[in-house]
């Protein structure tokens, strides 16, 4: 285990040195308890205490709109050229729930056929985690899915222990970049004790917010297909798709072609899509496999707590709470899980 220490007074210099190498983005306070990852060149604007940002860091791994290829159909044989757009980015201050979200995306996009647009872009992203010392708010359920503690998926991970950060160096690239800045020192025994104390304090503060142990979730979802809970949440949902757009693990996309005025050349793009939108499951011939909002809500929850458990052995919910915070119909993930748990027992 390679732990080093960065003094807090040196954070600004660290960010400045990093931004000399690549674009640096970090959580910034947007007012009214809203935060967003934005480009920074110093530590001045960085919010070290923040609740999950409006959009998760997935926006850098999987942009909302992304060009996939250029094409030319003017000749006898149509031509196309794949496009992969990326830049070197450091994302500073990723909380553990969002690191877990990135791990989910990595799994989904690493499946064959591999998604090289995603994977190449990911290789150009330098991830710096930041431990949340305090429970963020009542919308979160990170402890249920064990996403309140670091479980990898980063190059560097900083834990605030007072006047300094204890930094876990997790990759060669992390060690290289930390070394190049000349700002990190080897951690002493007292630093590791301070880290242990922080984690122990977290164990007291962060509680499982759902009235069931996570091991019962698969059983609950086994019984949940016909649950009246879906009718209840479906009757309130307005199908805006916000809950999936803000979700760090949602990765569904649509493709469209944009043709230029010459009617011969153009480009293919992919854009975020949402299973909560009415046309999502409509197929040729007009059949819609999830016409009702209740069916779409059920699908969203099954895609977090059932199908990925069977396929990847992990939940695709990180408990970040964004879907609850953003929902204009006040549909709460925790309340829905609690309702399913109650009727299943
Ligand atoms: S954010 Fe709320 S209202 Fe909008 S689709 Fe999701 S659950 Fe429905
Ligand atoms: S389902 Fe909701 S709480 Fe879970 S990861 Fe997605 S946005 Fe966060």
């Amino acid at each position: 285990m390679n732990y080093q220490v960065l003094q807090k007074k040196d954070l600004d210099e660290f960010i400045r040195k990093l931004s000399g190498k690549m674009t640096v983005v970090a959580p910034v306070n947007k007012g009214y308890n809203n935060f967003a990852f934005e480009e920074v060149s110093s530590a001045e604007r960085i919010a070290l205490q923040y609740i999950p940002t409006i959009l998760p860091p997935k926006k850098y791994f999987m942009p909302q709109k992304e060009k996939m290829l250029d094409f030319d159909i003017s000749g006898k044989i149509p031509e196309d050229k794949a496009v992969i757009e990326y830049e070197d980015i450091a994302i500073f201050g990723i909380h553990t729930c969002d690191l877990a979200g990135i791990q989910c995306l990595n799994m989904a996009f690493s499946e064959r056929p591999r998604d090289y647009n995603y994977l190449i872009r990911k290789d150009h992203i330098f991830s710096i985690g930041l431990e949340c010392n305090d429970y963020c708010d009542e919308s979160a359920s990170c402890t249920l899915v064990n996403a309140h503690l670091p479980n990898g998926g980063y190059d560097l991970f900083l834990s605030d222990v007072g006047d300094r950060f204890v930094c876990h160096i997790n990759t060669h690239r992390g060690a290289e970049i930390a070394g190049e800045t000349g700002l990190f020192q080897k951690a002493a025994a007292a630093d590791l004790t301070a880290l242990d104390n922080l984690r122990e304090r977290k164990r007291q503060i962060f509680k499982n917010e759902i009235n069931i142990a996570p091991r019962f979730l698969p059983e609950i979802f086994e019984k949940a297909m016909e649950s009246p809970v879906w009718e209840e949440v479906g009757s309130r949902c307005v199908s805006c798709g916000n809950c999936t757009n803000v979700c760090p693990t949602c990765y569904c996309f649509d493709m469209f072609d944009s043709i230029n005025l010459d009617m011969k050349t153009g480009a293919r793009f992919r854009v975020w899509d949402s299973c909560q939108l009415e046309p999502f499951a409509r197929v040729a011939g007009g059949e819609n496999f999830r016409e009702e909002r209740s069916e779409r809500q059920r699908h969203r929850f099954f895609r977090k707590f059932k199908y990925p458990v069977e396929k990847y052995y992990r939940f695709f919910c990180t408990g970040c709470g964004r879907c609850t915070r953003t929902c204009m119909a006040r549909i709460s993930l925790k309340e829905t899980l609690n309702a399913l748990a109650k009727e299943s027992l």
Side-chain angles (χ1 to χ4, degrees):
M1 287 287 203
N2 185 359
Y3 285 97
Q4 298 196 9
V5 167
L6 173 71
Q7 298 298 327
K8 265 196 189 157
K9 64 177 175 49
D10 293 332
L11 179 64
D12 188 61
E13 200 178 341
F14 173 59
I15 299 294
R16 286 176 194 276
K17 286 190 168 174
L18 203 55
S19 68
K21 295 175 189 293
M22 60 189 98
T23 300
V24 180
V25 300
V28 167
N29 193 339
K30 306 300 288 179
Y32 302 99
N33 211 22
N34 286 308
F35 299 86
F37 279 98
E38 283 185 0
E39 187 171 347
V40 295
S41 52
S42 70
E44 201 182 352
R45 291 174 63 228
I46 297 177
L48 291 176
Q49 307 289 334
Y50 74 96
I51 65 163
T53 47
I54 302 165
L55 286 177
K58 101 174 161 183
K59 68 181 182 180
Y60 298 108
F61 289 78
M62 185 195 173
Q64 194 268 333
K65 182 179 177 190
E66 179 183 8
K67 193 197 250 194
M68 305 299 282
L69 58 84
D70 287 309
F71 61 78
D72 183 343
I73 52 172
S74 58
K76 275 194 181 151
I77 300 173
E79 290 174 10
D80 60 50
K81 188 165 175 287
V83 175
I84 300 181
E85 294 172 336
Y86 59 84
E87 67 170 320
D88 288 316
I89 296 183
I91 308 181
F92 176 87
I94 312 174
H95 278 171
T96 47
C97 57
D98 283 340
L99 289 167
I102 295 163
Q103 287 175 324
C104 292
L105 297 183
N106 291 347
M107 288 175 127
F109 284 116
S110 297
E111 276 203 295
R112 291 176 191 277
R114 293 201 174 110
D115 192 303
Y116 289 104
N117 286 65
Y118 176 92
L119 294 173
I120 290 172
R121 187 175 299 106
K122 171 176 93 68
D123 280 349
H124 287 263
I125 296 178
F126 185 70
S127 301
I128 306 170
L130 177 66
E131 183 135 19
C132 4
N133 290 12
D134 292 300
Y135 177 71
C136 62
D137 65 15
E138 70 287 348
S139 297
S141 52
C142 50
T143 315
L144 172 77
V145 290
N146 200 29
H148 61 310
L149 292 168
N151 284 310
Y154 51 81
D155 295 291
L156 302 175
F157 187 82
L158 304 181
S159 301
D160 181 341
V161 295
D163 57 352
R164 62 208 188 281
F165 297 103
V166 176
C167 176
H168 180 220
I169 313 262
N170 196 38
T171 61
H172 287 303
R173 183 135 166 79
E176 196 178 271
I177 288 194
E180 280 168 11
T181 66
L183 295 168
F184 290 73
Q185 294 94 36
K186 195 169 176 4
D191 300 314
L192 300 183
T193 304
L195 184 59
D196 284 345
N197 292 341
L198 164 63
R199 299 272 161 80
E200 186 47 43
R201 187 177 155 267
K202 281 182 75 170
R203 280 187 197 96
Q204 307 300 322
I205 299 171
F206 286 65
K207 302 284 182 198
N208 178 9
E209 310 80 354
I210 313 294
N211 298 325
I212 36 128
R215 69 177 186 279
F216 293 121
L217 278 171
E219 188 187 327
I220 286 168
F221 276 86
E222 275 307 319
K223 299 178 190 166
M225 188 56 89
E226 304 301 331
S227 167
V229 166
W230 308 122
E231 290 298 331
E232 198 279 319
V233 291
S235 68
R236 288 154 60 204
C237 174
V238 297
S239 285
C240 63
N242 283 354
C243 51
T244 53
N245 278 345
V246 300
C247 179
T249 72
C250 279
Y251 55 84
C252 286
F253 57 82
D254 197 4
M255 294 278 217
F256 72 90
D257 288 349
S258 172
I259 194 143
N260 297 327
L261 287 176
D262 61 10
M263 299 302 279
K264 290 173 185 158
T265 58
R268 176 163 296 173
F269 295 90
R270 73 169 160 194
V271 289
W272 292 355
D273 201 353
S274 169
C275 60
Q276 297 310 297
L277 303 180
E278 196 270 339
F280 185 84
R282 196 190 299 149
V283 295
E287 182 61 45
N288 189 337
F289 289 96
R290 285 190 292 275
E291 203 163 4
E292 301 298 328
R293 291 170 194 203
S294 55
E295 295 170 326
R296 301 203 287 274
Q297 278 294 311
R298 177 177 65 195
H299 180 73
R300 177 165 81 90
F301 279 81
F302 273 55
R303 289 286 271 118
K304 304 294 161 197
F305 295 101
K306 187 171 190 329
Y307 306 142
V309 177
E310 290 161 2
K311 190 166 180 180
Y312 303 112
Y313 308 105
R314 68 181 291 159
F315 298 120
F316 263 41
C317 174
T318 71
C320 70
R322 286 186 177 91
C323 53
T324 304
R325 273 179 224 109
T326 197
C327 179
M328 60 183 95
R330 298 191 185 280
I331 291 171
S332 156
L333 180 114
K334 282 163 65 174
E335 282 173 19
T336 307
L337 290 179
N338 275 327
L340 291 173
K342 196 171 165 197
E343 69 174 25
S344 154
L345 295 174

